[in-house]
Amino acid sequence: MSDRIKLARADLHFYEEPIISGTRGSGAIFFSGCSLGCVFCQNREISHGGFGEYVSEGELADIMLRLYGRGAHNINLVTPTHFVPSIAGALTEARKRGLEIPVVYNTSSYESASCMEMLSPLIDVYLPDLKYHTKKSAGRYSYAEDLPEIAKRNIDIMYESRGPVCLDKDGLITSGVVVRVLLLPAHVAEAKLILKYLHTRYGDNIFISIMSQYTPISGLTPPLNRRVSISEYAELCDYASDIGIKNAFVQDRESADGSFTPKFDLTGVKPI
Ligand code: SF4
């Protein structure tokens, strides 16, 4: 991607964790492109294919304010890493023009240290993935052996920046870190190591979202060509409970359904 912001969708979104989606929805802005290239990506049409429409920083600020005007609980920047310098300009403008809701940074966690520094004064809530514990999995599935190390460093920076999770009177997050752990088929042991790592390091000061929604795309080979089994997911959730994790979200089986992936049709990108 270039430094020109490209978007695929901007709309109220109801399928994030309940402390983010609330009752009125999260103002999700889906950026085109991605700093990773996961083989199982469900958003490949925009992350790999680059589908989207260019907008200026001022237009992105307009989009944020429109979502705010529609009642969004927050602005949710989805896969924004590669556009951070331009997003910083748009956010600063939107804040000056009256944006008063929290900003959520929804990321694969594959950022440089300088990018993390730029984000610190702008972001209220971090929503990072911690997909892998081993270099082997990260290299095989996302072509980035250094992802576990970089993601862990960045989650440390996020926690230092925002501290423990804060919720408002309605139970919506206003500040803090929610880490997403996506269970992959036949990877319960690795996911347990991730949960153990997170709980040992941050206790219940962060929330952990334990995700079962993995949905195989066509052309994948074993073990990635199937959904996560009920018993695999139950084993992981039991483990989370056994090691004392209290602030966790779990998913219904129905979440592993392609219909939960939003349509990338430029909704909300240009004013009607
Ligand atoms: S980080 Fe997420 S959006 Fe990017 S390629 Fe991987 S699964 Fe797709």
Side-chain angles (χ1 to χ4, degrees):
M1 309 305 285
S2 73
D3 60 347
R4 295 176 66 201
I5 304 164
K6 202 175 189 188
L7 304 181
R9 184 180 177 89
D11 201 6
L12 297 175
H13 191 55
F14 295 89
Y15 301 118
E16 306 289 30
E17 290 75 3
I19 58 172
I20 295 172
S21 287
T23 52
R24 300 195 305 268
S26 174
I29 301 175
F30 292 86
F31 292 86
S32 308
C34 183
S35 57
L36 285 173
C38 309
V39 296
F40 50 76
C41 182
Q42 282 184 32
N43 294 355
R44 59 201 175 282
E45 180 190 352
I46 59 168
S47 66
H48 299 186
F51 170 79
E53 175 106 4
Y54 290 110
V55 298
S56 66
E57 287 183 18
E59 286 170 325
L60 180 55
D62 292 341
I63 288 167
M64 293 175 184
L65 289 164
R66 281 202 295 276
L67 290 167
Y68 175 41
R70 290 175 60 200
H73 292 297
N74 44 62
I75 296 300
N76 181 359
L77 307 169
V78 186
T79 322
T81 305
H82 45 294
F83 293 123
V84 161
S86 310
I87 291 171
L91 257 178
T92 304
E93 183 181 330
R95 288 291 193 205
K96 277 188 197 151
R97 290 168 54 193
L99 183 74
E100 285 183 347
I101 46 178
V103 174
V104 179
Y105 186 79
N106 184 338
T107 178
S108 65
S109 311
Y110 202 50
E111 281 86 10
S112 65
S114 60
C115 178
M116 295 306 300
E117 205 174 307
M118 193 178 293
L119 289 167
S120 183
L122 301 168
I123 301 302
D124 302 289
V125 176
Y126 287 98
L127 187 55
D129 293 338
L130 187 51
K131 284 188 176 65
Y132 310 110
H133 190 74
T134 67
K135 286 183 179 181
K136 189 175 163 194
S137 297
R140 181 183 291 172
Y141 302 141
S142 293
Y143 307 109
E145 283 195 351
D146 56 355
L147 177 55
E149 180 192 335
I150 287 181
K152 286 174 185 169
R153 179 203 64 192
N154 287 348
I155 293 168
D156 269 352
I157 295 173
M158 294 171 194
Y159 183 70
E160 276 167 28
S161 169
R162 299 317 310 170
V165 165
C166 295
L167 304 177
D168 69 13
K169 62 179 175 32
D170 298 319
L172 291 162
I173 190 165
T174 56
S175 178
V177 184
V178 180
V179 181
R180 286 178 164 172
V181 178
L182 174 70
L183 177 59
L184 296 173
H187 281 73
V188 177
E190 184 163 358
K192 284 182 180 175
L193 291 172
I194 294 171
L195 294 185
K196 183 76 179 164
Y197 167 81
L198 289 171
H199 191 57
T200 303
R201 197 160 184 86
Y202 305 107
D204 286 313
N205 291 319
I206 62 166
F207 279 49
I208 302 175
S209 186
I210 306 172
M211 309 184 85
S212 64
Q213 71 183 46
Y214 176 81
T215 308
I217 58 172
S218 61
L220 290 174
T221 53
L224 294 187
N225 61 346
R226 66 168 174 87
R227 289 170 63 180
V228 167
S229 70
I230 290 171
S231 62
E232 284 175 322
Y233 189 58
E235 183 181 337
L236 185 61
C237 293
D238 287 348
Y239 177 78
S241 174
D242 290 346
I243 63 172
I245 293 177
K246 291 189 184 67
N247 291 336
F249 295 104
V250 295
Q251 288 186 307
D252 292 333
R253 180 78 178 162
E254 295 75 44
S255 304
D257 183 329
S259 63
F260 284 88
T261 305
K263 276 193 186 140
F264 298 118
D265 56 4
L266 305 179
T267 294
V269 173
K270 294 288 178 187
I272 299 167

